[in-house]
Amino acid sequence: MSIYVGNLAYEVTDADLNTVFSDYGSVKRIHIPTDRETGRPRGFAFVEMNTEEEESKAIDTLDGAEWMGRSMKVNQARPRN
């Protein structure tokens, strides 16, 4: 399972996300997609944690939370089509 984190500030780094999500368990992987042409972050990320319980706790707590002046959208990532 992976967590989708949307409505992020463009300045957010892997380290920032690791700090926030590590409060809920061990962070396995963070991916912040970038625009192919500009190289600029696209305003969302994917976070993987060690257990589904940790991911569920992070989703329940962080969805809608204010962070860096924005309201985060946090939910279970859907598979790509």
Side-chain angles (χ1 to χ4, degrees), residues 11-79:
E11 304 82 43
V12 169
T13 65
D14 287 14
D16 295 331
L17 286 169
N18 192 46
T19 300
V20 170
F21 280 85
S22 64
D23 287 346
Y24 304 96
S26 298
V27 176
K28 225 168 36 173
R29 184 174 170 271
I30 295 172
H31 175 63
I32 302 174
T34 55
D35 184 270
R36 275 180 244 198
E37 294 176 18
T38 65
R40 185 174 137 179
R42 295 177 60 196
F44 64 93
F46 296 96
V47 177
E48 289 180 27
M49 301 183 77
N50 278 339
T51 68
E52 287 191 25
E53 292 80 31
E54 292 171 347
E55 290 180 348
S56 294
K57 190 164 65 166
I59 290 168
D60 292 342
T61 307
L62 295 174
D63 188 36
E66 279 286 319
W67 186 51
M68 296 180 83
R70 304 185 94 155
S71 178
M72 286 194 295
K73 180 168 177 54
V74 183
N75 53 43
Q76 186 174 346
R78 293 186 213 114

